[in-house]
């Protein structure tokens, strides 16, 4: 059984320079309370692995705006001109990864696989510097696994085991990121007693979750 | 009828009943408006719901239910929530029947460039590379020229999106099918002559017999 | 929307020599009605991909007993002495695959990946004849994707879109197999109207299901 | 107390609170019976429920809720259903804290052979290779000798299960820890002398100071 902790308590666990996997797609399904707490604390030199950096002043965009981030691995930054500006001025190093490759690289990191063999990116700038593997008469890029020091995942509902449920398009990267970090911090909208979430409704088993935030205010 | 409406109406006719279709943001998303009411289709957005519905009435939005552009949507009866791994598994695994995407350039090989302009626009490829590499049918929906400059060219000068011949190019001037022999001009736009199309196209176009006018939904 | 069909109708689609992915773990979560119908029809020379061959006279064991099977790809046949005897007498060719590798090979087949890079099987007979890939300073086996002509999956509940729910330990290989065959046949315990299964409860989206059997009698 | 009970009671002491543990079928599954009541553990079976509980009362079995041996079980409050991909992702991804497996041979390198006897027993490896390659701690629970023949040998003559040094060997005669220097004899069984252990062991055993008697749960 887990104690639900305060957001500030969780944010204090994250040191400067940490690699964070952060769920969400343009802010939908992002752990907004954790992001606010990291901004408030002033953590620096973070590496953010996420689908995107949302918009300026929204979701992950807040971490970009406040200068907490030195490196981004994402599939899309086009809707956040601040990320693009900081990339151009070399304040933030950006690695752009095709979205499907990004999620599989994180899954590989979480599931103990050596990498991902995909045709996505062949013949494009994504191919540069990467190992090519031939199998079954076809060529594939070998994309390497990604893991985080922390995964910050947003969930609709949790129980005190840490079992998580997600809602609609707020699933996105969260269930996969919960597999792939040394420490997984879950930010649920609500927390219910053990037994309330039926086994078949669980999308992330509680054994993957290290820390559970209190329910949303 | 403006160029975008012509394109959207023509692409709508390509959509087969009982298929899974991904519409890119912008112009491609307009296609849904012109779908015949008797054609049942599941729309997928890469951020994670199969069975996207129209925009909800004001005040009935769900913050956890948006399309890939971040706009509020609804879910049709029979919709299914999926995470990013399943979303891109469907895309790369050949389960997506059709994707409709915008384009910056398409060339005589049928290769598409639609995600970056070096030194200018580096938004990231998002899901585009996976979509083009993986969908069964890739339809490029774009205006025929950009500020008078042809976008259909002998060989893309912009970085490619994938090493895959797209299925069809639909512009307001023409419907063009890339084949092993080159680009075949299948239809001309309303009131547009073949000569006008050729003048607005840098790539070589193959015409076979009479070129009919495009039908519009 | 799908019509729910009779088991016999579905069994008639499966020709001699077909490759079948069949869900279940020692018979739990296996499509028992489909298996009975295939036995009754007398289909021959089948390749079965499944976790195990259950027990003689039970689940997949019935297909072994009646001589329908010429090849098995499975992780375990130890509880079915008939499979072992037929392997020894060369009546059935058996490929034994570590269970985690088996499920990932099927997933790779369904999700368009080029293969699986795993440490499982290194230094064991599983390694024989396989490509080794070095990445990140470690050695991995390259295990190739598996696909079926048909996937026969058992579900707890379906709607008429084909969306599927599974129960407890009857999930096992079913959700993954539903990704990886040209034709997917789902055998649900019950079938409910469209809209009854909430989007967040769907484990296999209906777009993956080609044919739906009638509810259990 | 018979040999198996000694082994099961000793292994039970290895299990840490709040961990995820996989018990193999047969002797290892007995370990659950001797767990101190204040130690909360989630048991996982590779067929797919986290939080396996005891056998249900007669008449209250669920055909969709069994352990990896096919026996009926229950689910504890807070249990989670998972499919085979997630199950083995947990195993290979290092999320499984401990697995307890039977053994045919263990050698001085700490390598385990437990899945086949060439020419005799070819049941398939099931999940054993993934478990040994992937679990954080691998405990081999086995009787010390087979029909008087030592099972702890200089080098396994049977095919290996994985190229991984197991964490601990527990028999009715001894607790042995494989290390980089070789097999260290940590404890002796009730009423067994070090000489007797060495006589029943073909491999070289390292003893450091006095060897204490094993405690039993």
């Amino acid at each position: 059984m887990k104690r639900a902790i305060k957001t500030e308590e969780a944010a204090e666990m994250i040191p400067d320079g940490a690699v964070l996997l952060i769920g969400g797609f343009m802010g939908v399904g992002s752990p907004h309370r954790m992001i606010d707490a990291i901004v408030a604390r002033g953590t620096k030199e973070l590496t953010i692995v996420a689908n995107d950096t949302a918009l300026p002043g929204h979701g992950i965009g807040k971490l970009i705006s406040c200068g907490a981030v030195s490196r981004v691995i994402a599939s899309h930054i086009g809707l956040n001109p601040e990320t693009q500006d900081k990339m151009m001025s070399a304040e933030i190093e950006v690695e752009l990864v095709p979205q499907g490759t990004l999620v599989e690289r994180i899954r590989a990191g979480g599931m103990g696989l050596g990498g991902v063999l995909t045709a996505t990116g062949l013949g494009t700038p994504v191919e540069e510097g990467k190992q090519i593997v031939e199998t079954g008469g076809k060529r594939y890029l070998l994309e390497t696994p990604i893991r985080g020091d922390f995964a910050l995942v947003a969930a609709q509902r949790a129980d005190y085991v840490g079992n998580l449920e997600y809602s609609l398009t707020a699933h996105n990267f969260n269930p996969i990121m919960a597999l792939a970090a040394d420490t997984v911090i879950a930010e649920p909208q609500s927390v219910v007693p053990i037994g309330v979430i039926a086994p078949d409704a669980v999308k992330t088993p509680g054994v993957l979750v290290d820390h559970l935030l209190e329910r949303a205010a | 009828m403006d160029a975008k409406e012509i394109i959207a109406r023509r692409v709508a006719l390509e959509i087969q009943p009982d298929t899974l279709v991904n519409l890119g943001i912008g112009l491609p998303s307009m296609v849904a408006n012109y779908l015949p009411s008797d054609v049942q289709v599941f729309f997928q957005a890469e951020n994670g719901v199969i069975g996207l519905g129209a925009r909800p009435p004001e005040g009935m939005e769900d913050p956890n239910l948006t399309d890939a552009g971040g706009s509020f949507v609804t879910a049709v009866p029979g919709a299914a929530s999926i995470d990013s791994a399943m979303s891109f598994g469907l895309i790369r695994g050949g389960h997506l029947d059709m994707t409709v995407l915008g384009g910056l350039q398409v060339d005589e090989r049928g290769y598409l460039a639609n995600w970056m302009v070096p030194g200018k626009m580096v938004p990231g490829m998002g899901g585009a590379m996976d979509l083009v590499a993986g969908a069964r049918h890739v339809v490029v929906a774009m205006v025929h020229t950009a500020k008078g400059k042809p976008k259909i060219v002998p060989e893309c000068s912009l970085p490619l999106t994938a090493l895959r011949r797209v299925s069809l190019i639909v512009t307001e001037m023409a419907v063009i099918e890339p084949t092993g022999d080159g680009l075949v001009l299948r239809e001309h736009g309303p009131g547009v002559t073949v000569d006008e199309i050729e003048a607005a196209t840098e790539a070589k176009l193959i015409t076979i017999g009479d070129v009919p006018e495009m039908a519009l939904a």
Side-chain angles (χ1 to χ4, degrees), chain A, chain B:
Chain A
M1 205 190 310
K2 288 179 182 72
R3 188 174 59 91
I5 63 174
K6 294 200 181 304
T7 311
E8 295 68 30
E9 200 178 327
E12 278 167 22
M13 299 173 187
I14 299 172
D16 290 351
V19 177
L20 309 186
L21 314 182
I22 307 184
F25 193 112
M26 290 303 298
V28 175
S30 280
H32 293 285
R33 285 181 282 149
M34 274 303 293
I35 289 169
D36 288 342
I38 294 168
V39 170
R41 190 156 184 268
T43 315
K44 296 288 175 205
E45 301 291 330
L46 296 171
T47 292
I48 303 296
V49 182
N51 179 62
D52 55 71
T53 56
L55 307 166
H58 179 60
I60 295 169
K62 293 181 181 174
L63 293 168
I64 302 293
S65 303
C66 78
V69 180
S70 60
R71 189 158 172 252
V72 167
I73 302 176
S75 84
H76 200 267
I77 57 169
L79 296 175
N80 192 330
E82 285 188 2
T83 310
Q84 297 203 48
D85 291 347
K86 292 189 183 207
M87 174 175 72
M88 295 302 182
S89 66
E91 185 186 329
I92 296 182
E93 183 191 336
V94 176
E95 180 185 352
L96 291 169
V97 181
Q99 200 169 135
T101 298
L102 182 60
V103 71
E104 282 295 315
R105 288 177 67 186
I106 298 168
R107 183 180 183 274
M111 291 201 159
L113 299 172
V116 180
L117 299 178
T118 180
T120 300
L122 278 178
T124 80
V126 169
E127 184 176 319
E128 276 164 31
K130 288 187 184 144
Q131 194 172 341
I132 304 279
V133 172
E134 286 199 39
T135 170
K138 290 186 183 162
R139 298 167 73 245
Y140 296 94
L141 284 186
L142 195 170
E143 295 275 9
T144 54
I146 295 177
R147 284 186 61 85
D149 298 317
F150 296 84
L152 313 183
V153 301
Q156 185 66 12
R157 203 159 75 139
D159 65 21
Y160 287 95
V161 163
N163 289 314
L164 304 182
E165 290 181 305
Y166 306 94
S167 166
L168 299 165
T169 54
H171 282 70
N172 56 67
F173 278 69
N174 288 297
I176 297 298
M177 287 179 167
L179 288 159
D182 296 344
T183 302
V184 175
I185 300 173
E187 175 178 319
Q189 279 298 109
S190 67
V191 187
V192 296
I194 293 171
V196 169
I197 301 180
D200 291 341
V202 175
K203 297 269 173 87
T204 294
V207 292
L208 290 171
V209 175
D210 297 289
H211 302 286
L212 191 64
L213 299 199
E214 290 178 342
R215 75 190 68 222
Chain B
M1 209 184 301
D2 73 357
K4 288 185 177 179
E5 184 176 338
I6 293 172
I7 297 166
R9 285 181 179 273
R10 177 59 189 83
V11 172
L13 296 179
E14 290 298 309
I15 295 180
Q16 301 300 311
D18 289 319
T19 55
L20 179 64
V21 175
N22 182 296
L23 301 180
I25 57 181
L27 167 52
S29 70
M30 290 172 59
V31 171
N33 302 334
Y34 302 109
L35 207 64
S37 61
D38 60 333
V39 173
Q40 283 220 339
V41 171
F42 276 103
F43 287 110
Q44 184 239 27
E46 54 268 36
N47 61 324
V49 159
I50 296 174
L52 283 187
R55 198 184 168 83
E58 179 128 8
M60 296 177 75
E61 300 88 355
D62 180 340
N64 290 335
L65 186 50
T66 63
D67 65 19
S71 299
F72 293 116
V73 292
T74 50
V76 303
S81 307
I82 55 175
D83 68 11
S84 299
M86 175 66 98
S87 179
F88 282 88
L90 294 179
I91 289 168
R92 278 169 304 143
H95 305 284
L96 182 70
D97 295 292
M98 184 184 293
T99 183
V100 183
L101 295 133
L104 296 170
Q105 290 181 327
V106 188
D107 67 21
E108 289 178 3
R109 300 167 298 183
Y111 290 170
L112 169 69
N114 79 339
W115 70 282
M116 81 175 285
V117 180
K120 267 175 93 172
M121 186 185 75
V122 196
M125 65 295 283
M129 288 189 178
D130 299 285
L131 284 161
V132 178
R136 287 201 204 164
H137 297 277
V138 177
V139 175
V140 179
M142 63 180 193
V143 292
H144 203 90
T145 57
K147 297 173 191 167
K149 269 190 66 178
K151 297 170 72 173
I152 304 172
V153 295
E155 189 169 336
C156 289
S157 57
L158 297 173
L160 296 180
T161 305
L163 279 186
R164 184 253 175 95
R165 188 198 301 156
V166 301
S167 315
L168 205 66
I169 308 163
V170 177
T171 75
E172 77 282 15
M173 297 186 79
V175 176
I176 296 167
E177 184 187 354
T179 70
D181 295 327
L183 300 176
V184 177
L185 178 62
R186 292 287 183 209
E187 302 166 18
H188 66 79
V192 181
T193 67
V194 170
D195 285 351
E196 285 168 335
I197 296 167
E198 284 175 342
T201 307
E202 214 174 84
K204 185 177 174 328
L205 294 178
I206 301 166
T207 56
I208 303 165
D210 268 358
V211 176
E213 182 168 312
M214 64 173 74
L216 298 177

